[in-house]
Amino acid sequence: MSAWLPYVGAPLSHGPFITFLAAFAISPGIPAVLALSLERRIMRGKREFVAFFYGDPLLALAAAIGVALSGSSPPPSVASFVTGPVPLIVMSSWLLFGVWQWKTELQQGMYTPAQAWAPTKIWHQVVVYPLLGYMVTAPVVAGMATTTTSGVAGACAKILIIGCVLIWVLANIHDRRHPKLGHPPYDWKHLRPAPQPWPLSSTTLQADHRASS
């Protein structure tokens, strides 16, 4: 029986490589597919938030290293943090945070309503937060808590986990000060982006206009 949360934690039971692929698929993999198929654009680093475009793959790497350290049986000391009600509460909290952030960013003018309902934005707020939140937090906590892997290799692996998470945190701080387009205005009626030129009625659209000028 897997020591991870059923269903959402299933990839963690198949080793670090599958863990990385699953976490990478959640973000930025599937968002890139949504952007290409529905928003009709290719994601490019200069128009995406740093924490998403570069930071989320580092979180996937941190999760993979955590699984490599802890294996399929995380230490008993952290068992309650990777399965049972605790991770479900954490995932629910991340989902609530995503919805709260969604509403707040719209109220503060970071996005227009058409941007806030773009396919990639919906995916980010209601899927990435709870699912990637567990798939990263659980193996990172388990990997950092394990004592079965000692020596220089184990220490370096834990330092690498810390480095990946720290870079992601710093990228988020950077993104708050340097907004990017992130999500284009979307027209669900015609299943395509809203026609350009887009009105400069949000912080991110204004930033994208300045960057393109």
Side-chain angles (χ1 to χ4, degrees):
M1 181 177 179
S2 172
W4 309 102
L5 194 68
Y7 304 113
V8 68
L12 307 179
S13 302
H14 295 281
F17 181 66
I18 298 300
T19 296
F20 176 84
L21 290 181
F24 189 91
I26 294 172
S27 183
I30 292 177
V33 174
L34 292 174
L36 183 63
S37 60
L38 294 179
E39 298 176 359
R40 303 182 186 183
R41 66 189 179 101
I42 297 175
M43 284 188 167
R44 304 184 189 280
K46 66 178 182 179
R47 303 188 82 179
E48 305 297 331
F49 287 102
V50 176
F52 161 76
F53 198 78
Y54 300 104
D56 284 2
L58 289 178
L59 291 183
L61 177 59
I65 297 172
V67 169
L69 289 175
S70 64
S72 60
S73 298
S77 60
V78 300
S80 62
F81 291 96
V82 300
T83 190
V86 173
L88 292 176
I89 294 173
V90 172
M91 290 174 64
S92 298
S93 299
W94 273 116
L95 178 58
L96 290 174
F97 172 79
V99 173
W100 170 84
Q101 185 190 58
W102 205 356
K103 180 180 178 181
T104 301
E105 289 176 340
L106 184 58
Q107 291 176 336
Q108 294 178 347
M110 187 171 182
Y111 298 107
T112 64
Q115 286 181 278
W117 289 103
T120 50
K121 183 61 173 174
I122 296 172
W123 178 267
H124 184 267
Q125 299 305 127
V126 301
V127 178
V128 172
Y129 274 126
L131 293 191
L132 192 62
Y134 176 78
M135 289 193 65
V136 171
T137 303
V140 163
V141 170
M144 294 299 293
T146 188
T147 57
T148 57
T149 304
S150 58
V152 176
C156 288
K158 292 181 179 181
I159 290 173
L160 186 54
I161 288 177
I162 294 173
C164 289
V165 175
L166 181 59
I167 291 174
W168 178 81
V169 171
L170 294 175
N172 272 281
I173 295 174
H174 174 273
D175 287 339
R176 294 305 96 186
R177 300 176 181 179
H178 303 85
K180 300 287 186 67
L181 174 64
H183 312 281
Y186 196 73
D187 180 1
W188 277 99
K189 183 178 180 180
H190 298 96
L191 293 179
R192 64 185 182 188
Q196 297 193 50
W198 297 321
L200 304 181
S201 49
S202 73
T203 303
T204 50
L205 287 175
Q206 293 167 8
D208 184 64
H209 178 73
R210 290 193 297 269
S212 302
S213 299

